[in-house]
Structure formats: C-alpha cells, structure tokens
Amino acid sequence: MTGVTVITESALLAEYCSGWQDAEYVTVDTEFMREKTYWPILCLIQVGGPDESVVIDPLAEGIDLQPLYDLLINPNVLKVFHAARQDVELFHHLTGHVPAPLFDTQLAAMVCGFGDSVGYEKLAARLANAQIDKTLRFTDWARRPLTDRQILYAVADVSHLRPIYDKLCAQLEDNGRRAWIDEEMKILTSPATYENPPEEAWRRIKVRNGKPRYLAILREVCAWREKEAQRRDVPRNRIVREEALTEIAAHAPSTVDELARVRAISQKLAEGSMGTAILKAVAHALTLDRNCYPTLPERMEKPVGLAPLMDLLKVMLKLRCEQTGVAQKLVATIGGLERFATGDQDSPLLSGWRRELFGDLALALTEGRVALTVLNDQICIIPQDEEAAKLAAPPRRAKRPRRRAGRNKQAAAEESSTN
C-alpha cells in the first residue's frame, strides 16, 4: 500500500474539492497519452493541497470531474503547475476554460538562475531535497489497475511542487521579478494561446512555394485534414501525410485518377470518401476570389551589416543573461533578435520586462551609445553617455536558494515521504 489517496468516486472528489476552495494555492499535474489520438486522453490528475496530495482517476467509471473543473477556475485559489502549457491546453479542451489564476514554476525558475527549460527533477533536488525517479515517464497511464510505483511517481509531481513554489516565490520577491512572471502568466492563461483554427493549420507546414493559388489549395486541404483528424480523434498523419498535402497543392488534382497519381495517396483512398473530400477542398480553393488567397509573410531583403549586428546582439544578450541569471531562451530567440535588429517595432524586446532587462540596452547598442570590449579577459559594456551608463550597469543577479547545511540522504528521504 502506498498511503496515497486515489480518488475514484464522485462524492470523495467533491469533498476534497470543497476543502481546497479555501486554500491559498493547490499544485496540479496530469498524466495523459496522445500517441494514437488527436486529443490527449486524460489518464490521471494529481492535486497537492495544504494537508495532503492525492491522485484522481478520471478513467474511473461514473466519476464526475466537475468539482475539480470548478476549482481550476476559482479566482481565489492559485493553481501551481510545472511546465503548464500542455496541462492547460488539455483542460481548455475538456472544459472550454483555462485554469486561472496560474503559476508556472518552470517559467519562474528561468528568471531565478536555473537555466533554460529547467526540469522538475532538477528543481525537486535543488529546492525540495527530493530525488525524482523518472523511469516511469513513458509508462502506460491508461492501463488499469495502476501499480504502487505509478501512484508514488505521479503524486511526487505535486507533493514536491509545494516547497518548490514557496521557495521560488520567496526568491521572486527578493529579486523583484514577480511582475515579470505575472506578464508571462497573462499569455499562459489567455484562451487564444490554445485556440488553433483549422483554417490556420497550413501555417505549420514548411513551404517553399509562395504562389497564392498553391497556398489557397494547401490551406483548404490542411483545414479538411485538421477537421477530419479532430472528428475521428486520430493523429493528423493517420489521415493524410504532410508531404501528400504539399503535392496536392502543387498539382491541384480535379479527378480521382489525378489524385491517385499523387505520391502517398493510394488508389483506394482516392476512390473513397476521403478522396472525394480532398477533391472537394481543392475545387473550393479554386473557386475563391484571388483577394481571399493567403500569402506568406513578405521576405525582406536582409540589410547589409545585419549579420555582424546580430553577432553583437547575441554576445550582449548572453552577457546580460549571465549577469542576471535569466534564461536566455526566455528573453529572446534568434528569430526574435533578428526581428529586433531589422527594426520591427512590435518586437517583444521593446515591451514589458524584456525591455527592462535587455531591450533598452540593445537599442543603445544599435544607436552607438554603448560598445563592447574585452578587459581582463572579460567582455564588458562601455557606455558612451550618462543614460547609457545606467543601462550598462550590471544588474543584480538572481540567487538560487542553497540547501541547508548538514542534510543527508536519509533526512531528505524522510522529508520527501512526508510531502
């Protein structure tokens, strides 16, 4: 026996959820599978409350999850996740709502000196003195009955999340970066983040052909595939593979025989109902007014000198992130830096905490108000005026909490078992 409560009945779930309605926060995690489906199959939900962490079995016969769904949107209870994106997307699909308010410990750790996309096991070891066994990461969560090892593994994902959250919050208050995380949470809790209209599915496909007619056909057949995959609840490639879609868009087949000549489209598929639907999508695209054709973003000619400027920006970004302990990946991607370097006024580096941390300094570099040099084997920022000097001053670096002295494996194990 694990000693962990596994909730399989509606009444018990309602009782727990009622008690959590008064909690300051709860920790939440899920286990799901989607290898053979379009929509993820929710297999397990773990919730850590103030007094106990439990496992909820959503596959239990007759269980009503509504009390939990109500808790997830209770504005008075903070929901704490680690790497929340997929969990939130799942709940948004199931309920039409996004859990809120929300706190993501992975994002918080990325502004507190733990590096890019820090894993839960690293935070558990560092902040909760707990060792997470990840050997069950790819276990079959849909199979019943669950083993004791599965249950202990699952509950550990929320029990240790409580001390992780508490310590990260303390550090955010100390380094004054809580507002930064609040900015990121607005994006994470926006329903628009999780809405993927079928008409936009074509944008996920890398294309070299920018002709409007080609793009119009590609948009229609991709939208059909997306809707069909959703309807049948199977992965997109189980319907039609991506390379077949680009071939269809290129050749614009109008008959079954022409469709069957497309690579990866069999004669049987072309003659069946799916072949009929594909031809209908192609025909619809060709009836559209050209003003309705999609277009690719205009490719701007990269100005002379962009590459050297990008090199300087990369060096300055790395330097600033090392100085502050903020994950470089969270501040800007290479594409984001390029947008900024080409003068894009909508660059994320020109708003919010990113501007405070790096954007204004990057602007000063492009305006010639700061320079980079090497002193004592270290890259340094040299300001050219008083205002630039304020921007160039090394900001306070995030300090990670240290483990308490004198701890050993047995003490850590005892603390882990009580969470």
Side-chain angles (χ1 to χ4, degrees):
M1 298 295 290
T2 64
V4 177
T5 299
V6 180
I7 300 176
T8 59
E9 298 177 352
S10 300
L12 184 58
L13 176 60
E15 181 181 337
Y16 269 93
C17 289
S18 177
W20 291 328
Q21 297 289 349
D22 295 324
E24 177 186 352
Y25 70 90
V26 294
T27 55
V28 186
D29 188 42
T30 68
E31 308 297 341
F32 58 87
M33 300 181 68
R34 68 185 312 170
E35 288 81 2
K36 299 179 181 179
T37 60
Y38 181 93
W39 305 109
I41 301 171
L42 180 59
C43 300
L44 216 61
I45 309 165
Q46 305 93 276
V47 180
D51 304 312
E52 183 182 3
S53 296
V54 304
V55 170
I56 302 165
D57 185 358
L59 301 182
E61 185 177 356
I63 192 168
D64 180 8
L65 298 178
Q66 192 57 49
L68 175 67
Y69 296 154
D70 292 339
L71 175 70
L72 292 177
I73 59 173
N74 183 335
N76 299 315
V77 181
L78 179 69
K79 274 65 66 172
V80 178
F81 291 80
H82 180 81
R85 181 67 178 260
Q86 289 187 318
D87 299 309
V88 175
E89 182 181 22
L90 189 154
F91 285 122
H92 179 260
H93 165 63
L94 292 174
T95 70
H97 300 285
V98 174
L102 186 147
F103 185 96
D104 189 326
T105 55
Q106 185 179 71
L107 288 174
M110 290 172 76
V111 303
C112 288
F114 288 89
D116 289 333
S117 303
V118 58
Y120 178 70
E121 54 266 41
K122 180 178 179 180
L123 287 183
R126 181 71 184 181
L127 300 181
N129 292 295
Q131 299 300 316
I132 304 297
D133 178 8
K134 303 303 288 185
T135 58
L136 293 180
R137 181 180 300 178
F138 300 110
T139 190
D140 185 353
W141 291 105
R143 188 172 182 176
R144 295 295 185 271
L146 295 168
T147 66
D148 287 351
R149 283 189 68 204
Q150 284 178 306
I151 294 171
L152 288 172
Y153 169 90
V155 81
D157 281 348
V158 291
S159 57
H160 302 307
L161 199 52
R162 297 188 66 84
I164 290 172
Y165 166 73
D166 289 338
K167 291 180 180 180
L168 285 175
C169 278
Q171 189 168 351
L172 288 170
E173 292 302 321
D174 181 59
N175 61 28
R177 296 176 183 173
R178 182 60 188 251
W180 297 10
I181 295 303
D182 291 341
E183 283 186 42
E184 299 305 300
M185 292 306 102
K186 288 180 181 179
I187 298 171
L188 203 55
T189 56
S190 170
T193 301
Y194 309 97
E195 293 169 356
N196 298 302
E199 294 74 21
E200 296 297 310
W202 70 277
R203 298 185 186 277
R204 288 193 294 268
I205 296 179
K206 291 183 179 180
V207 296
R208 296 180 180 178
N209 189 339
K211 294 181 179 179
R213 180 175 181 268
Y214 170 90
L215 296 177
I217 297 173
L218 183 65
R219 179 180 64 185
E220 297 304 316
V221 293
C222 285
W224 164 78
R225 184 181 72 158
E226 197 76 7
K227 293 173 184 177
E228 187 68 9
Q230 291 176 0
R231 185 183 69 82
R232 294 170 55 181
D233 194 18
V234 296
R236 298 178 184 93
N237 280 338
R238 295 280 184 91
I239 305 298
V240 176
R241 297 192 67 82
E242 185 174 300
E243 55 266 29
L245 297 176
T246 56
E247 286 290 310
I248 291 168
H251 296 290
S254 59
T255 67
V256 169
D257 286 343
E258 290 177 356
L259 180 60
R261 292 192 187 101
V262 173
R263 184 170 47 188
I265 297 292
S266 66
Q267 185 74 33
K268 182 179 179 180
L269 188 151
E271 293 175 347
S273 59
M274 289 209 299
T276 300
I278 292 171
L279 291 173
K280 183 178 179 181
V282 173
H284 175 67
L286 297 177
T287 64
L288 295 173
D289 187 281
R290 292 185 64 87
N291 292 330
C292 298
Y293 284 0
T295 57
L296 294 176
E298 184 178 352
R299 289 187 177 182
M300 297 181 61
E301 193 71 26
K302 293 183 179 180
V304 176
L306 178 63
L309 174 58
M310 283 289 294
D311 288 340
L312 288 176
L313 287 170
K314 290 175 189 176
V315 170
M316 182 174 281
L317 176 62
K318 186 174 182 64
L319 176 62
R320 180 50 55 107
C321 288
E322 286 184 352
Q323 290 174 338
T324 60
V326 178
Q328 187 174 324
K329 179 180 177 180
L330 187 62
V331 180
T333 62
I334 297 300
L337 276 182
E338 189 168 288
R339 283 179 58 189
F340 171 84
T342 54
D344 186 347
Q345 295 302 307
D346 294 324
S347 167
L349 290 177
L350 296 178
S351 65
W353 68 268
R354 288 175 175 83
R355 180 161 191 159
E356 175 187 342
L357 177 74
F358 178 70
D360 282 333
L361 183 61
L363 278 175
L365 177 69
T366 63
E367 295 166 356
R369 295 189 295 116
V370 299
L372 294 175
T373 191
V374 177
L375 292 175
N376 300 322
D377 298 324
Q378 297 289 323
I379 293 177
C380 300
I381 301 172
I382 307 299
Q384 305 299 305
D385 57 50
E386 186 175 339
E387 182 181 352
K390 297 177 181 178
L391 296 174
R396 181 174 54 170
R397 179 181 172 85
K399 295 181 180 179
R400 294 184 293 180
R402 297 180 178 177
R403 292 180 180 176
R404 284 173 287 176
R407 296 190 56 81
N408 54 39
K409 292 184 178 179
Q410 180 179 357
E414 290 174 355
E415 179 179 295
S416 174
S417 66
T418 61
N419 284 332

